[in-house]
Amino acid sequence: MSFLDLARKRQSDRGFLAQPVERLQIERCLEAARLAPSACNSQPWFFVVVDEPALRTAIAAELNHFAMNRFAPTAPVLVAVVAENPTLLPRLGGMIKDKPYYLLDIGMAVEHFCLQAADEGLGSCIIGWFNEAGVKRLLGIPKGKRVPLVIALGYPADPATRPKTRREPDATRSYNDYPGTR
Ligand SMILES: Cc1cc2nc3c(=O)[nH]c(=O)nc-3n(C[C@H](O)[C@H](O)[C@H](O)COP(=O)(O)O)c2cc1C
């Protein structure tokens, strides 16, 4: 599969089969995430994989937040992404430049994870709307740390690739200057 085909195949799956996911497959997704780039190579991430059924059910309840993410209990694997303290240089740089580099880094690592999942024939959904305090309490994550995202992973209930809903190409790019300013 070409990289573009893989990018087309990756989609947010919001319903999963009960079929378990092999740890080896999870490991390959984690390896893809580990290889992601980050500001000053800070690698400010830690992945807590939850595949133990009772704990997973409890985490899923925290993801089903104000009627969002009702599908979460169907995912056989949930991965909480913990933001680790960035090293001094990107932290300072982020403050000076007013850019939360660590969130950009985590976004890239999470997308690497999800693309590897798609390559494995697995489905995933990046989840950013959830009860963070509840997830942290269940996983023993210290209060001072943040959990920006959770990834739902499993075999999709509907494996068909949907057409992507995206802005038109011309609305997303230009060459050599920004449109409409001169
Ligand atoms: C940072 C981030 C947070 C997201 N949070 C949620 C979420 O809480 N629940 C959900 O169902 N989808 C969530 N999504 C998935 C997006 O809705 C989805 O990527 C977008 O609609 C494009 O669809 P596609 O992933 O199928 O291509 C999130 C995606 C990102 C990148």
Side-chain angles (χ1 to χ4, degrees):
M1 198 182 340
S2 73
F3 179 77
L4 261 184
D5 284 341
L6 182 63
R8 287 190 186 104
K9 188 176 174 210
R10 197 248 13 112
Q11 61 190 3
S12 297
D13 290 299
R14 298 186 178 90
F16 297 92
L17 304 178
Q19 189 178 344
V21 178
E22 282 177 31
R23 285 257 171 112
L24 259 178
Q25 290 181 292
I26 302 172
E27 279 296 316
R28 284 195 290 268
C29 295
L30 292 167
E31 177 60 2
R34 193 180 71 92
L35 296 174
S38 57
C40 304
N41 202 16
S42 167
Q43 307 166 58
W45 48 63
F46 191 87
F47 299 89
V48 184
V49 179
V50 180
D51 60 359
E52 194 279 307
L55 182 59
R56 190 169 46 75
T57 302
I59 298 282
E62 304 298 341
L63 303 180
N64 184 346
H65 191 47
F66 291 100
M68 284 275 288
N69 304 321
R70 287 185 217 249
F71 66 91
T74 68
V77 181
L78 295 168
V79 182
V81 187
V82 183
E84 293 298 328
N85 289 337
T87 47
L88 187 63
L89 214 55
R91 203 175 337 149
L92 271 180
M95 268 154 48
I96 292 166
K97 292 296 174 196
D98 189 23
K99 290 177 194 172
Y101 292 125
Y102 79 99
L103 287 179
L104 302 175
D105 299 339
I106 283 173
M108 287 187 221
V110 166
E111 179 64 347
H112 271 211
F113 184 106
C114 293
L115 286 168
Q116 179 61 31
D119 198 43
E120 302 271 345
L122 293 167
S124 66
C125 187
I126 301 168
I127 298 176
W129 173 264
F130 56 89
N131 179 15
E132 186 178 342
V135 170
K136 281 163 57 173
R137 181 175 39 77
L138 285 164
L139 297 179
I141 297 166
K143 281 211 169 91
K145 291 197 188 285
R146 299 294 313 266
V147 179
L149 297 171
V150 172
I151 308 167
L153 181 72
Y155 287 94
D158 179 4
T161 306
R162 302 184 303 270
K164 294 259 181 285
T165 307
R166 294 294 187 267
R167 291 154 63 209
E168 290 301 317
D170 282 353
T172 66
R173 64 197 66 166
S174 68
Y175 288 83
N176 301 316
D177 77 357
Y178 188 81
T181 54
R182 279 199 269 245

